[in-house]
Amino acid sequence: MLRLLWAASVHTRYFLRRYMPTNILLDLIRTRRGLKWGVPAMLLAVPYLLTASICTNVITDGGPGWLNLLVILFIWNALKFLIMGPVSLILLLRVRIHEAGERRRVRRQSEAMKSARYEAIGA
């Protein structure tokens, strides 16, 4: 039974990561080229929160109860985008520090090669 639940959760996660638009967009933001779009993507939380508010008002005016599921979904998606902004800034900072270190290593290595070549020619 546990194995069946595990397999179902793995397949559900795979489906959601692969085909849901918010997850696809967040995966694109997590790439090196997409990290700069994390903060502007936070603005996508506004329509989700607005839609959740509209659904909540419809529910309080006597709308169907299944709209509560949509409210939860909209709030969850809004939180994902709100959290991705600061996370993308941290990831971008870490990548830029790593790239600067790589450039520094390459520069030192090329300077060492030039000086070794100069000493070999001068000797």
Side-chain angles (χ1 to χ4, degrees):
M1 181 67 172
L2 185 61
R3 184 176 175 182
L4 180 65
L5 289 173
W6 187 272
S9 69
V10 167
H11 288 294
T12 303
R13 181 188 182 281
Y14 173 75
F15 176 79
L16 292 175
R17 300 283 306 169
R18 184 99 176 156
Y19 297 109
M20 293 297 123
T22 57
N23 291 333
I24 293 170
L25 184 60
L26 289 173
D27 286 341
L28 290 174
I29 291 173
R30 286 185 197 104
T31 63
R32 171 60 184 98
R33 290 181 59 202
L35 287 174
K36 64 183 174 186
W37 295 104
V39 175
M42 288 175 63
L43 294 174
L44 290 175
V46 174
Y48 280 113
L49 292 174
L50 180 65
T51 309
S53 173
I54 291 170
C55 286
T56 305
N57 289 336
V58 169
I59 291 168
T60 56
D61 290 340
W66 59 267
L67 286 177
N68 287 313
L69 295 175
L70 287 180
V71 170
I72 292 170
L73 179 69
F74 293 143
I75 291 174
W76 177 251
N77 287 333
L79 288 175
K80 287 194 295 188
F81 282 112
L82 284 175
I83 290 171
M84 193 60 208
V87 168
S88 70
L89 287 178
I90 293 169
L91 291 174
L92 183 62
L93 181 65
R94 187 169 28 153
V95 167
R96 293 238 173 130
I97 290 171
H98 178 73
E99 289 172 351
E102 285 293 320
R103 281 192 303 270
R104 198 175 313 117
R105 266 191 292 281
V106 168
R107 190 176 345 108
R108 286 181 185 165
Q109 186 179 18
S110 68
E111 289 172 1
M113 295 287 285
K114 286 179 185 178
S115 65
R117 198 176 320 139
Y118 179 74
E119 290 174 4
I121 292 173

